[in-house]
Amino acid sequence: MSTTRPYSPGDRGPESGDDGASGMPGGGGLAVPSGGRQARRLSFDDESGVVPLARDFARQALHAWGWLPAASADRRAAAEDVLLVVSELVTNACLHAEGPDELRISCNNKVLRVEVSDRGAGQPAPRTPHRAGRPGGHGMFIVQRLCLDWGVVRTPGVTGKTVWAELGAPA
């Protein structure tokens, strides 16, 4: 797992430019097919209760993309992992970076990518050593354990960062 690579192997980084998907409260984002890739974006401008909002938005995307309702226990577990990763990344932005600015979720046949942008300067990392019985500090450890890979993208001259994580699509 990576906290230093800005993107996963074989990826050109986060999707740039306007993909036409806008996020609205209540999950009004649009699915956008782009070369076999579907994407949704949710802006958190002036929103409260961003963690449940993000989970609901992700759940709606999973329904739209056929991950839910799950046809098997493995597919259900994969969808629950996505919702947990969304919760952890958005919670970390709330706790350590003055809150998230935007959530982006994209999916192709093999990988689902979650990206949370914020204005924070900190560098997320799993607590080392991880102590399961110790309260707090488990978010990035959970992300690291559930995801194929994860990392941080910073844009020179711009305040903040995007924390991304990729999960395998269910078979």
Side-chain angles (χ1 to χ4, degrees):
M1 303 302 148
S2 170
T3 60
T4 57
R5 272 198 316 247
Y7 45 84
S8 61
D11 189 3
R12 294 189 327 252
E15 297 172 4
S16 60
D18 185 10
D19 61 6
S22 62
M24 294 183 252
L30 304 171
V32 178
S34 173
R37 188 169 207 60
Q38 298 182 27
R40 288 184 175 223
R41 182 176 54 206
L42 174 66
S43 174
F44 293 108
D45 290 340
D46 301 321
E47 293 293 334
S48 60
V50 295
V51 175
L53 180 65
R55 282 182 66 89
D56 289 344
F57 178 79
R59 187 177 293 109
Q60 290 175 8
L62 294 175
H63 273 280
W65 298 338
W67 288 46
L68 291 173
S72 68
D74 287 344
R75 293 181 71 82
R76 187 171 24 266
E80 289 172 1
D81 288 351
V82 169
L83 297 176
L84 180 54
V85 168
V86 166
S87 295
E88 293 299 337
L89 294 181
V90 171
T91 296
N92 277 356
C94 290
L95 293 174
H96 306 292
E98 304 172 23
D101 291 331
E102 187 175 74
L103 166 66
R104 290 179 298 279
I105 304 174
S106 60
C107 182
N108 64 21
N109 292 340
K110 296 182 182 182
V111 175
L112 184 134
R113 183 175 175 111
V114 176
E115 300 177 3
V116 176
S117 298
D118 63 51
R119 292 187 201 109
Q123 181 73 14
R127 182 181 284 172
T128 306
H130 181 255
R131 293 188 178 102
R134 187 174 173 188
H138 304 288
M140 292 312 294
F141 179 78
I142 291 169
V143 169
Q144 182 179 36
R145 298 291 286 195
L146 293 178
C147 295
L148 300 170
D149 204 1
W150 70 277
V152 178
V153 176
R154 294 188 188 276
T155 303
V158 177
T159 303
K161 64 187 170 299
T162 298
V163 180
W164 61 266
E166 292 181 339
L167 297 97

